[in-house]
Amino acid sequence: MELLLTLIALFTGGAIPIFWLVLGADYARRKGFQNPMQRFNLIHDYMKGYMKYLLIPALIVLVLIWIYSAQAYPDLANRIWAGIWIGVLSSIALDIVRLIGVKLGWMPMDMPPVFGIMIAGPKASSATHLWVGYLYHFLNGIDFAIVYTLVVGPGEWWWGVIWALLVELGMMLLVPVLMPGHTVFGFNKGIGIFGVSLVAHIAMGLVIGFLAQAFVNGDYTIFSLIENL
């Protein structure tokens, strides 16, 4: 039962929230519009249904598993809670690097407001784009940390960096889809996008790795749970 709940938590707290943007961007790419605002409108239309029928129900299920596990499987509850607060702190670490890069002009865009446009729609106010975008940005950080704490648990800290580098790879592959005119890794716009994003994600991974190693209970991984069936 603990393995089953872990897998459900991994799906509802990781896969569904993370793939929200990925699937929306792919939907817009297949439609073929090259104008960024047209793409943002398409992603916005896609995200409305995804949020209503998949994202919100998935997050409710995750919370219910967390509440139930607090009594039945405290180590699982610890991993979900650790993923939440570690995800917030790792997002702040990423933001420190990212915002420095934006301030210095090494990155041509600040991604959270872009997320806000996609979610709230281009017609919403700039303030709405900002707070909605940052809300989704931190939700993303929490999702990545939950995946880590559920799969790796209190593994060696460098696993956090490996996980962050995989996230970085996914982000760099997503850039040309979200922003037409950008090549993979954004190299046609200079080294700044990739360089800042890489350092930011390494900072995120260090926070995830060290804090999970220190505060996640139980020395098992999801793979050892499977092996013990």
Side-chain angles (χ1 to χ4, degrees):
M1 179 60 72
E2 184 174 14
L3 174 60
L4 177 60
L5 291 175
T6 300
L7 292 173
I8 295 174
L10 187 62
F11 184 68
T12 57
I16 287 182
I18 290 170
F19 278 96
W20 184 25
L21 177 60
V22 175
L23 295 176
D26 183 65
Y27 172 77
R29 178 191 62 80
R30 287 186 281 107
K31 290 293 184 179
F33 289 112
Q34 293 304 309
N35 183 289
M37 280 302 169
Q38 290 176 319
R39 287 203 172 188
F40 294 163
N41 269 316
L42 284 171
I43 296 173
H44 170 62
D45 290 340
Y46 181 90
M47 283 183 161
K48 286 189 296 186
Y50 196 96
M51 180 187 296
K52 181 177 180 181
Y53 298 110
L54 284 175
L55 181 63
I56 293 176
L59 295 179
I60 292 173
V61 170
L62 177 67
V63 171
L64 292 176
I65 291 175
W66 178 26
I67 294 172
Y68 173 75
S69 299
Q71 294 296 324
Y73 303 103
D75 282 350
L76 175 56
N78 163 262
R79 289 176 182 226
I80 294 173
W81 171 239
I84 293 171
W85 67 264
I86 291 174
V88 171
L89 294 181
S90 63
S91 295
I92 293 173
L94 181 147
D95 281 341
I96 291 172
V97 178
R98 180 182 57 80
L99 290 173
I100 291 174
V102 172
K103 186 71 173 178
L104 294 176
W106 294 341
M107 296 191 75
M109 73 197 84
D110 190 15
M111 285 308 297
V114 175
F115 294 149
I117 295 173
M118 297 173 190
I119 297 168
K123 294 181 180 180
S125 67
S126 297
T128 300
H129 292 157
L130 189 64
W131 76 261
V132 170
Y134 267 95
L135 181 63
Y136 174 70
H137 170 64
F138 276 92
L139 175 62
N140 247 354
I142 290 170
D143 298 334
F144 289 130
I146 285 178
V147 170
Y148 183 88
T149 57
L150 290 177
V151 174
V152 179
E156 296 294 332
W157 64 266
W158 43 266
W159 279 110
V161 178
I162 293 175
W163 173 230
L165 291 176
L166 291 175
V167 175
E168 163 70 2
L169 177 61
M171 185 65 193
M172 288 297 98
L173 294 176
L174 196 61
V175 165
V177 178
L178 295 177
M179 303 297 292
H182 289 69
T183 59
V184 174
F185 294 95
F187 285 154
N188 65 321
K189 302 295 183 179
I191 196 65
I193 295 175
F194 173 70
V196 173
S197 181
L198 177 63
V199 175
H201 281 93
I202 290 175
M204 179 189 83
L206 288 170
V207 172
I208 291 176
F210 277 113
L211 292 181
Q213 187 176 20
F215 293 101
V216 171
N217 296 338
D219 59 358
Y220 62 89
T221 68
I222 195 170
F223 305 107
S224 62
L225 283 176
I226 295 173
E227 290 175 358
N228 291 332
L229 284 177

